[in-house]
Amino acid sequence: AAEDLLKVQLPAAVQDPNISVLLVGCHVALVVSMHLVFGQAFGVIALVEADRQLRASLERAEDSSDANGEDARIAKNCVSFLALMFSFGLLQGRAICDMVKAIFRDGNVSEVRIDLALTTLRYAGRSLRSECAEDFRELLAFVTANAGGTSSSTASNSKGSSNAAVSSTKGGPESAPGDMRTRIGYLLRELQDLKNNKVSFTAMDRFEPLRNWLKTTPMLRGKKASDAQIALQFNFMTEQEVPA
């Protein structure tokens, strides 16, 4: 039953490239409530399916070299969905670290991937920093080392050509093209500001009514997502295949 329902709900939550993130949050709140009422199958299947859709849409976005295209926006929806699952208490901090590690796997850095990392920080950063300090330090160290690290991959369209030319550079952000250096620098500054508690999280205020609903709805009878967190038995998004 859980799988059949999520076959309808998850595409509705992430496959519309123009969906409001607040509506994505409503879908996440529904997954949390079903997880608490009907059993952990709902949360686990949502996690696995969001993972699969993120991998697929990210691959298509990279192939198209369009950082603002439909596939890039669907990937962003998937990241928002997963980050809010964490922010609402259903996922462990480790899941967010694994997701960011997968985004920058093998030192791959692109406009699409940087945007996904920034989206992760926007919707999961506050809770990660305040509630999962060890995971936050791991994420900070990883992104600092890898986003600027040993290799950068950027896609640019050659004038008069329909094929995207992918350039790889070694030696960190200073050797990347100017626009990528700017984006990498912005990501690293956001991380440092988050570390120093200088980031405004007003974007999260819009989800307070959903948090309050999860806390007060009679349907949940006082159950908390944090008391039924999904215990990951695999390296989320870093394995070739996730368990079904």
Side-chain angles (χ1 to χ4, degrees), residues 2-3 6 9-10 28 30-32 34-36 38-52 81-82 85 90-91 228-234 236 242-244:
E3 187 171 0
L6 285 166
Q9 186 194 0
L10 197 62
V28 174
L30 182 58
V31 167
V32 171
M34 291 189 298
H35 179 89
L36 294 175
F38 298 114
Q40 293 203 3
F42 283 91
V44 171
I45 293 172
L47 174 70
V48 170
E49 289 303 316
D51 172 2
R52 287 176 177 159
F81 187 93
L82 292 164
M85 282 184 70
L90 202 57
L91 294 183
Q229 276 188 339
I230 298 172
L232 295 176
Q233 302 299 322
F234 59 96
F236 175 56
V242 296

Side-chain angles (χ1 to χ4, degrees), residues 53-59 61-62 67 69-83 96 99-104 108 110-125 139 143 183 187 237:
Q53 294 199 36
L54 173 54
R55 294 186 199 212
S57 56
L58 176 55
E59 182 177 354
E62 294 277 84
E70 288 193 1
D71 290 315
R73 285 179 282 161
I74 290 171
K76 187 174 181 179
N77 290 342
C78 294
V79 166
S80 299
F81 187 93
L82 292 164
I96 299 301
M99 182 166 69
V100 173
K101 288 179 179 179
I103 289 171
F104 291 127
N108 288 327
S110 67
E111 186 176 351
V112 172
R113 293 173 187 270
I114 290 174
D115 192 35
L116 295 182
L118 288 168
T119 299
T120 303
L121 295 179
R122 184 175 302 120
Y123 299 122
L139 182 147
V143 175
R183 292 179 180 278
L187 173 60
M237 283 198 69

Side-chain angles (χ1 to χ4, degrees), residues 150-166:
T150 58
S151 67
S152 304
S153 295
T154 61
S156 60
N157 290 324
S158 298
K159 187 175 181 180
S161 172
S162 60
N163 295 324
V166 179

